[in-house]
Amino acid sequence: MVKIDQDGVAALNERDDEISFVPANPNQHVTSYLERFFGLPYNPGFAILLTGKWGAGKSHLVKCSVAKAAEHGLRILSISMYGLSSRRELDEAMALARYPWRTTEGSNSRPRPGDVVGIPREPLGTGALASLPVADGYIFDDIERSSMRITDVLGYINRLVERDGRKVVLVADEDRIIGRADGGDFEISKEKVVGRTLTVRPDFDAAYCSFLETLESEPARRFLEQSAIEVRAVYEQSRTGNLRLLQQTLWDFERVHDALDGRHLANAGAMNAMMRLLFAMSFEFKAGNIDAIDVRARSTRRYSGLFNDAEKPSRLRLASAKYSGLTMHDTLLPDDLLGDILIDGIVDPTRVREAFDASSWFPSEDEPSWRTVWYSGERGDEEIAAAAQTLMEEFEARDYDVTGELLHVFSQVLKLAGLGAIGWTLRQAVAECRAYVDDLRSQGRLEPPNLTVPDEVRHGSFAGLGFSGREKPEFSEILAYLDEQRAAGQRDRFAAQATELLSVMRADATEFVRRIANSRDSSESLARLPVLATLDPVAFADELVALKPLQLREVMIGLSARYDLGTLEHELKEEMPWILTVRSALLERAAASPIWTRRRIEESVRWTLDDRLGVRAPDGDGKPVDG
């Protein structure tokens, strides 16, 4: 049995080859044992395995042990196995550790180890290399990240231990080695090489203090020092055991903290809520427990699997269940903002401040009534009642027409109806919301569908808040009706838009093309809407023939670009009969025109439309024009 002094903390294991426990200083047994191991005056005849989860601090502990050994005159060489795939690469890594190359001052070059230090050209007993002392021990880190067969690695290390009498420490996440394809070989070979296994556990207190020293922002550091207990609670609840994730999250928090104004920082409740939300979401995302969609569509996944036992709970809900006193659906940091921070590494100070200002922690006098009702769980009864009354007055006056706000209004009306607060049943509320949509369409106030970028409301939220009750059939019915009427309202404007385009074409062919043609530098929505189909195709052909030659060519090229990339089979398929009739009318007018006009029109049709339409333009004798 191995007994290690632990300042009064007993630490023994039933197995003679393993030490595993959690003392007050969780890794005191490791550092004490390593110090004693390297200081032994004889060859112990076995290697030590330091195991623990990724990010538990194994490499940092080893670095400290190497420095401690150096204080006692011991030379311990550390070799990273990360990415090594062959015995030769391991030999070179050993050579670089044993004979470090020292460049001359001002030089950045570093020769290949095989050319310079891997195979010394002079006898080892002479020259500068011989002046280096023999290593007292070796540390092989990141064993599991090597692609060498584990038996080859252990065989190499066994020769160092048995043949050369060296003290060797292996550092790895043992579970990940066992999980490899050759993990079974590790279990067999380990018995011959490894005499002791020490488990490294995350030392939160030591790591936290060390990480805080690296922060550049003194205000952020002070806040985190005062919040150490809360941060530790979230970290332990995450069950990641990964200190690297803690350090990365501290850096993210520092940037968000420094984006806030003094009045935000002075609100202790808001700051604590933000800190807990950011740390929990960061731990889960960086650990791979949730993905980018879970972050950016967080508000839509809140109730996944909650009301249907047959539905599998979302990863986000499973992750959230680990944290007590914390909701990962807190809206203080909206989904899109949180996604930018965690996924893209973007911290926009303006958006961070706006998010805080819009939250329930900082209510304002001009807060929309629907938002106050949305926060009904956090507001007083009188405030909610006043906001609900205002909301219904605004509903009757049809004050809202922005799609996202409109859906928030509808969702709050449904909530109020469900609570019996407005005298409507749910079916009556649905009918009233549909009537609201009808009124907006008749007034021409419905926003058209966004064809260039997805609507924000597709993710189930707007202005940083998810739509209340969006999982319920009443809301789904209203959303579907609104989508239908938005598309219909858009079509209501086609005739007026087409007439306007015709006027534009007469005055400015370039502007006409910009509005109707697809191009990489244009987001003109009319390029993907079949508005031209509302025009008389024969009259349009007459307008084209009346254009000056250069204008005619420009418009025809624009039409070709409009129908590029298969749009006639998809978005603009309603224009196919129209453009075919325009083409026929152009050729008819060309046939009755003077030779040069005829040739100009026929060539324009052939060059710009025929490939798109799958036809050929004949010449005046009925033969294809060959140019």
Side-chain angles (χ1 to χ4, degrees):
M1 302 293 286
V2 177
K3 183 177 178 63
I4 302 174
D5 294 337
Q6 295 295 317
D7 297 328
V9 179
L12 297 178
N13 192 284
E14 293 298 327
R15 292 178 56 186
D16 186 51
D17 64 344
E18 184 170 351
I19 302 173
S20 180
F21 55 92
V22 185
N25 182 346
N27 296 311
Q28 181 62 43
H29 68 296
V30 179
T31 55
S32 297
Y33 193 88
L34 288 179
E35 183 175 354
R36 183 173 299 179
F37 179 75
F38 287 129
L40 290 174
Y42 55 85
N43 173 21
F46 61 83
I48 293 175
L49 172 63
L50 294 189
T51 187
K53 293 183 178 181
W54 282 358
K58 301 188 297 294
S59 297
H60 177 74
L61 186 147
V62 163
K63 182 179 179 181
C64 294
S65 297
V66 170
K68 186 71 173 178
E71 294 177 2
H72 296 285
L74 301 175
R75 185 172 185 237
I76 311 299
L77 301 183
S78 184
I79 297 96
S80 174
M81 297 288 294
Y82 197 129
L84 300 187
S85 60
S86 67
R87 166 67 183 266
R88 176 179 176 80
E89 291 181 359
L90 181 52
D91 283 339
E92 291 182 345
M94 286 281 289
L96 283 172
R98 176 69 177 86
Y99 308 114
W101 175 260
R102 297 180 180 178
T103 60
T104 58
E105 186 175 355
S107 172
N108 293 322
S109 63
R110 181 174 183 174
R112 292 180 303 165
D115 293 340
V116 179
V117 296
I119 307 177
R121 291 186 175 84
E122 54 186 299
L124 291 180
T126 64
L129 296 180
S131 65
L132 290 173
V134 175
D136 297 289
Y138 295 89
I139 295 174
F140 292 87
D141 199 358
D142 290 321
I143 302 291
E144 71 277 24
R145 290 187 171 97
S146 167
S147 57
M148 292 178 62
R149 286 190 57 82
I150 194 63
T151 52
D152 293 340
V153 174
L154 292 179
Y156 189 102
I157 291 168
N158 188 57
R159 284 192 290 273
L160 286 174
V161 173
E162 291 194 349
R163 185 191 66 184
D164 300 337
R166 302 303 178 206
K167 298 162 189 171
V168 177
V169 174
L170 313 181
V171 184
D173 181 343
E174 187 175 13
D175 291 340
R176 292 184 181 270
I177 296 180
I178 295 173
R180 290 177 20 163
D182 58 350
D185 297 333
F186 173 73
E187 292 281 15
I188 298 173
S189 304
K190 172 188 172 183
E191 296 298 326
K192 179 174 176 56
V193 181
V194 177
R196 294 289 184 272
T197 296
L198 306 178
T199 300
V200 177
R201 293 182 172 83
D203 187 349
F204 176 88
D205 294 335
Y208 193 68
C209 292
S210 176
F211 295 158
L212 291 188
E213 291 177 358
T214 67
L215 300 182
E216 297 180 357
S217 170
E218 181 62 28
R221 185 185 304 115
R222 286 198 304 270
F223 177 88
L224 290 167
E225 287 173 349
Q226 297 167 1
S227 304
I229 295 176
E230 289 82 1
V231 174
R232 178 170 189 156
V234 177
Y235 173 77
E236 291 179 346
Q237 289 172 356
S238 75
R239 305 172 196 167
T240 61
N242 193 319
L243 294 172
R244 275 195 295 272
L245 303 189
L246 173 64
Q247 183 176 39
Q248 294 166 10
T249 303
L250 288 171
W251 290 335
D252 289 339
F253 177 86
E254 178 184 30
R255 298 172 64 201
V256 176
H257 178 281
D258 287 355
L260 296 168
D261 292 333
R263 61 192 181 86
H264 300 136
L265 300 176
N267 190 321
M271 291 301 299
N272 186 61
M274 183 274 288
M275 179 272 293
R276 289 168 60 80
L277 172 64
L278 181 64
F279 273 78
M281 288 294 294
S282 178
F283 290 151
E284 297 304 317
F285 176 69
K286 295 180 189 301
N289 298 331
I290 58 177
D291 60 20
I293 296 178
D294 294 315
V295 177
R296 294 198 185 278
R298 178 176 50 129
S299 59
T300 67
R301 300 184 172 219
R302 180 173 187 175
Y303 301 105
S304 177
L306 185 60
F307 302 104
N308 184 357
D309 293 337
E311 182 182 354
K312 183 179 179 180
S314 69
R315 288 173 297 183
L316 187 62
R317 194 160 74 83
L318 292 174
S320 182
K322 296 189 296 185
Y323 300 90
S324 61
L326 164 66
T327 171
M328 294 174 70
H329 299 279
D330 193 308
T331 57
L332 179 56
L333 295 178
D335 296 356
D336 54 349
L337 177 60
L338 194 58
D340 286 348
I341 295 170
L342 297 182
I343 301 168
D344 301 325
I346 299 172
V347 177
D348 184 333
T350 300
R351 292 183 61 205
V352 171
R353 291 191 292 268
E354 288 176 347
F356 264 63
D357 289 339
S359 73
S360 188
W361 291 99
F362 297 88
S364 62
E365 294 182 358
D366 58 351
E367 180 180 66
S369 60
W370 65 260
R371 185 181 283 270
T372 304
V373 179
W374 195 101
Y375 283 119
S376 58
E378 305 170 12
R379 304 294 175 83
D381 289 353
E382 292 184 2
E383 183 180 2
I384 300 170
Q389 180 177 348
T390 300
L391 176 63
M392 295 310 299
E393 292 172 355
E394 294 168 339
F395 184 93
E396 293 297 332
R398 307 309 195 229
D399 286 348
Y400 295 95
D401 55 17
V402 175
T403 302
E405 275 198 309
L406 196 57
L407 286 170
H408 273 305
V409 169
F410 291 163
S411 69
Q412 296 311 309
V413 168
L414 289 174
K415 180 169 74 174
L416 293 172
L419 294 172
I422 54 177
W424 288 346
T425 65
L426 280 175
R427 290 315 307 167
Q428 287 175 322
V430 169
E432 292 293 339
C433 291
R434 290 170 65 103
Y436 191 128
V437 173
D438 292 340
D439 289 343
L440 290 188
R441 180 183 172 186
S442 66
Q443 298 167 17
R445 294 171 55 198
L446 276 180
E447 287 186 333
N450 195 331
L451 299 178
T452 56
V453 294
D455 282 344
E456 181 184 355
V457 299
R458 293 303 100 191
H459 296 295
S461 66
F462 180 79
L465 298 178
F467 302 125
S468 300
R470 57 192 170 279
E471 75 284 352
K472 296 182 179 179
E474 291 81 10
F475 181 85
S476 298
E477 178 182 344
I478 294 172
L479 176 59
Y481 187 72
L482 178 60
D483 285 344
E484 173 190 310
Q485 294 305 306
R486 288 175 69 193
Q490 185 179 60
R491 300 185 69 85
D492 292 342
R493 294 188 283 271
F494 280 0
Q497 290 171 326
T499 300
E500 180 187 4
L501 284 174
L502 198 59
S503 298
V504 170
M505 185 180 73
R506 297 188 191 106
D508 188 343
T510 301
E511 176 62 16
F512 173 82
V513 170
R514 189 192 70 79
R515 294 195 187 187
I516 61 103
N518 288 292
S519 66
R520 293 180 180 179
D521 58 352
S522 173
S523 59
E524 179 58 60
S525 61
L526 294 182
R528 299 171 60 187
L529 295 174
V531 294
L532 298 182
T534 62
L535 293 173
D536 183 330
V538 175
F540 184 78
D542 290 336
E543 295 282 354
L544 285 178
V545 172
L547 295 176
K548 294 179 179 179
L550 290 178
Q551 291 177 319
L552 172 64
R553 183 172 68 180
E554 186 171 12
V555 170
M556 295 297 290
I557 292 173
L559 289 171
S560 176
R562 178 176 177 81
Y563 300 130
D564 198 4
L565 304 177
T567 56
L568 278 173
E569 287 76 40
H570 300 95
E571 303 100 308
L572 304 179
K573 61 183 179 181
E574 293 179 43
E575 282 188 13
M576 174 65 88
W578 179 84
I579 191 61
L580 285 172
T581 304
V582 169
R583 174 185 176 277
S584 297
L586 285 173
L587 294 178
E588 289 176 3
R589 279 141 187 79
S593 300
I595 183 172
W596 298 115
T597 298
R598 174 178 64 83
R599 186 173 181 84
R600 181 167 60 250
I601 295 174
E602 289 176 345
E603 287 181 345
S604 291
V605 169
R606 180 163 60 93
W607 292 342
T608 60
L609 295 182
D610 285 0
D611 284 344
R612 302 285 182 263
L613 303 177
V615 295
R616 291 291 307 276
D619 62 16
D621 299 324
K623 298 179 181 179
V625 176
D626 58 13

